[in-house]
């Protein structure tokens, strides 16, 4: 198991943008995902990209967040635009879900086997 380490979190004002990164070189042939967990809430899947670059999003972020994968080094990204306070939380990258994922929503957490340690995103007005 190769650790994954997220980067790019931080504090931003409402309407701002952040870009998260997660090197996942050991997990090229799996679906990669992004999850977030707000205080007192369960971890929720927000975006995923499979080995064919099919992307899926939770309704809460659709149209504002973009998930992508840089293939040469298999770096997972999450571009987050038009952020609001509801987007605050700890963001996790995940790997190990089945290589192909066709639904429009991300796979559930139990489909992933490898997790990063999380990066904090705080959005304030």
């Amino acid at each position: 198991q190769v650790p994954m380490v997220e980067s790019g979190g931080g504090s931003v004002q409402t309407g701002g943008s952040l870009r998260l990164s997660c090197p996942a070189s050991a997990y090229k042939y799996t679906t990669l995902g992004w999850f977030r967990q707000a205080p007192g809430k369960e971890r929720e899947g927000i975006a995923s990209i499979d080995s064919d670059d099919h992307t899926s999003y939770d309704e809460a972020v659709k149209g504002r967040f973009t998930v992508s994968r840089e293939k040469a080094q298999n770096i997972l990204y999450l571009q987050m635009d038009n952020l609001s306070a509801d987007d605050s939380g700890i963001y996790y990258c995940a790997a190990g879900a089945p290589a192909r994922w066709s639904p429009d929503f991300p796979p559930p957490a139990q489909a992933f086997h490898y997790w990063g340690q999380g990066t904090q995103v705080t959005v304030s007005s």
Side-chain angles (χ1 to χ4, degrees):
Q1 181 175 344
V2 178
M4 296 188 296
V5 180
E6 303 91 341
S7 62
S11 297
V12 65
Q13 290 189 324
T14 300
S17 298
L18 285 173
R19 188 193 196 201
L20 306 183
S21 302
C22 177
S25 61
Y27 310 108
K28 284 191 174 183
Y29 304 108
T30 78
T31 289
L32 304 177
W34 286 101
F35 287 73
R36 70 183 179 193
Q37 188 166 17
K41 295 188 176 180
E42 292 187 357
R43 190 174 298 191
E44 60 177 351
I46 56 173
S48 65
I49 183 167
D50 76 0
S51 60
D52 290 335
D53 287 342
H54 176 264
T55 57
S56 303
Y57 297 93
D58 183 80
E59 287 294 328
V61 306
K62 197 172 289 185
R64 300 186 299 120
F65 290 12
T66 303
V67 61
S68 62
R69 180 203 301 245
E70 187 279 322
K71 289 205 167 182
Q73 299 185 54
N74 206 43
I75 301 173
L76 177 67
Y77 295 103
L78 184 68
Q79 176 66 39
M80 305 186 293
D81 298 318
N82 195 21
L83 286 160
S84 71
D86 289 341
D87 297 314
S88 295
I90 301 174
Y91 283 67
Y92 301 89
C93 61
R100 290 180 175 83
W101 181 260
S102 58
D104 290 336
F105 52 88
Q110 53 264 43
F112 293 89
H113 302 285
Y114 310 103
W115 294 84
Q117 87 290 348
T119 185
Q120 178 71 46
V121 171
T122 303
V123 185
S124 58
S125 58

